[in-house]
Amino acid sequence: MSSKGVNEDCLGWAARDASGVLSPYKFSRRTLGNEDVYIKITHCGVCYADVVWTRNKHGDSMYPVVPGHEIAGIVTKVGSDVHRFKVGDHIGVGTYVNSCRDCEYCNERLEIHCVKGVIPTFNGVDVDGTITKGGYSSSIVVHERYCFVIPKSYPLASAAPLLCAGITVYTPMMRHKMNQPGKSLGVIGLGGLGHMAVKFGKAFGLSVTVISSSMSKKEEALSLLGADKFVISSDQEQMMALAKSLDFIIDTASGDHPFDPYMSLLKTSGVLVLVGFPSEVKFSPANLILGMRTVSGSITGGTKDIQEMIDFCAANGIYPNIEVIPIEYANEAIERVINKDVKYRFVIDIENSLK
């Protein structure tokens, strides 16, 4: 580490206990290393992960927890060995801020699968032994490898949700070749992840069907997001009409739900990718074996894929649907995330509201 320090206080909002209630909190960021970038945060997306760790859902929260791992901002300082960024650049930080950089996955730029485990952007143990604190804060210091160039033509508020919601669906779509024009894609759930899957699907030239439990999503899916079809999952007639018609399905639903009805929608050799977190996955082996179908899982992505996705969104005019809020609204926003009352991603205006 260099002796160059960044000692000014960082202002954030933190949860102090499992109530998850956020309130102002001052702390210091770590010293700027030779390969680090110091970022003034302008925007941070609100993700369900923020609910999980502010409320200790996994029993491993290290309070105080400063959440937020969909971070966009501006470079204000760089270490002496930083080559990818300069002061004034627009920059993004996603769900992790470090990895071993030496295992087979890190070498392939699939750092999210690091053998030793990535260091998460918040509620993780950093290289200096401190607990990482996320983007509900005025600044952050991150190794340049785990930062991403955001083109200046692309709004920072829109960029923030790409760093988790966007990449979580983009990664499996690319891995399973869901970018072949003319193929058919089903999207289960129309939240932060699902609406991005629809946008990517249309950009790739796919025929996109949204499958939802809520009729209220129909107009949004068809008119707002441009999906080709909308099906209510509880309507057996609609589901039967869709049988064996989809090449791919992305399942973004985190609530418990049956899988056999969705598996039956896949063509022979079809692929269902799970990116949500239901408590269990159960389906008939026949639905897998008889149609040569594949069930896969995925989580965010490596640094190469994240930068590729940002560039793709900028080049193709793909923007998340967001509701920009002040930091003072964060507690209410998290309640609305729990109640699925957001279209489709809250983004905190850190720069103009965190004072």
Side-chain angles (χ1 to χ4, degrees):
M1 303 291 281
S2 76
S3 60
K4 189 192 303 184
V6 179
N7 297 318
E8 59 247 59
D9 285 332
C10 184
L11 179 60
W13 274 46
R16 271 67 168 197
D17 55 44
S19 71
V21 175
L22 297 159
S23 59
Y25 170 66
K26 273 193 173 182
F27 62 101
S28 295
R29 288 294 184 184
R30 66 175 172 81
T31 301
L32 187 76
N34 293 337
E35 298 177 330
D36 289 339
V37 180
Y38 181 87
I39 302 162
K40 180 185 81 171
I41 298 173
T42 61
H43 297 86
C44 185
V46 178
C47 175
Y48 193 77
D50 303 343
V51 177
V52 170
W53 280 283
T54 56
R55 303 195 177 198
N56 201 24
K57 299 284 189 182
H58 291 171
D60 61 354
S61 297
M62 296 176 278
Y63 295 104
V65 172
V66 178
H69 62 198
E70 295 181 339
I71 299 169
I74 299 171
V75 177
T76 58
K77 294 184 178 72
V78 296
S80 58
D81 294 334
V82 169
H83 304 294
R84 292 177 55 229
F85 299 96
K86 63 183 185 302
V87 172
D89 283 351
H90 290 189
I91 192 168
V93 177
T95 62
Y96 54 96
V97 292
N98 221 323
S99 63
C100 81
R101 299 179 223 160
D102 195 39
C103 68
E104 60 178 305
Y105 301 108
C106 286
N107 288 335
E108 293 178 10
R109 310 296 283 197
L110 294 169
E111 298 92 340
I112 186 64
H113 303 294
C114 175
V115 170
K116 295 182 181 178
V118 294
I119 296 176
T121 302
F122 70 92
N123 199 60
V125 180
D126 210 342
V127 291
D128 62 351
T130 59
I131 306 306
T132 56
K133 295 175 173 61
Y136 290 30
S137 59
S138 55
S139 62
I140 192 168
V141 177
V142 182
H143 188 284
E144 71 166 329
R145 174 169 176 157
Y146 308 93
C147 299
F148 307 97
V149 176
I150 298 172
K152 288 193 175 178
S153 61
Y154 197 92
L156 287 169
S158 298
L162 299 181
L163 278 308
C164 179
I167 191 61
T168 297
V169 294
Y170 182 87
T171 296
M173 291 182 83
M174 297 305 289
R175 186 170 79 245
H176 293 287
K177 298 180 170 55
M178 298 186 195
N179 58 345
Q180 303 170 66
K183 296 281 182 128
S184 53
L185 170 70
V187 178
I188 301 172
L190 199 60
L193 276 63
H195 96 288
M196 288 304 302
V198 173
K199 287 174 182 280
F200 286 136
K202 294 304 297 179
F204 290 145
L206 306 181
S207 174
V208 180
T209 299
V210 171
I211 306 163
S212 175
S213 60
S214 174
M215 178 58 84
S216 65
K217 298 287 181 74
K218 181 175 182 177
E219 189 65 24
E220 302 165 20
L222 299 176
S223 300
L224 183 64
L225 299 174
D228 299 282
K229 297 178 186 175
F230 180 87
V231 169
I232 291 291
S233 57
S234 60
D235 188 318
Q236 292 188 6
E237 191 172 320
Q238 288 186 33
M239 291 287 281
M240 285 181 65
L242 205 61
K244 299 182 180 179
S245 68
L246 301 176
D247 295 291
F248 314 107
I249 293 175
I250 290 189
D251 186 350
T252 73
S254 284
D256 287 339
H257 56 282
F259 282 81
D260 282 313
Y262 300 119
M263 294 285 285
S264 67
L265 304 182
L266 289 171
K267 295 179 181 178
T268 298
S269 301
V271 178
L272 183 148
V273 175
L274 183 66
V275 294
F277 275 88
S279 63
E280 66 175 8
V281 176
K282 291 175 66 176
F283 53 84
S284 167
N287 265 329
L288 192 67
I289 295 166
L290 298 182
M292 293 196 303
R293 297 176 178 119
T294 297
V295 175
S296 178
S298 192
I299 183 171
T300 63
T303 55
K304 179 178 179 291
D305 289 337
I306 295 172
Q307 188 63 64
E308 178 185 286
M309 174 213 51
I310 293 170
D311 295 342
F312 181 81
C313 288
N316 292 277
I318 298 171
Y319 306 99
N321 291 48
I322 61 174
E323 183 177 334
V324 178
I325 60 171
I327 189 71
E328 293 83 5
Y329 192 75
N331 286 305
E332 190 167 345
I334 283 179
E335 287 294 337
R336 285 180 58 187
V337 168
I338 293 169
N339 295 324
K340 300 179 181 178
D341 178 24
V342 52
K343 296 176 184 175
Y344 290 93
R345 208 65 160 182
F346 287 118
V347 175
I348 302 170
D349 184 349
I350 298 290
E351 183 177 30
N352 292 311
S353 66
L354 183 57
K355 308 291 185 184

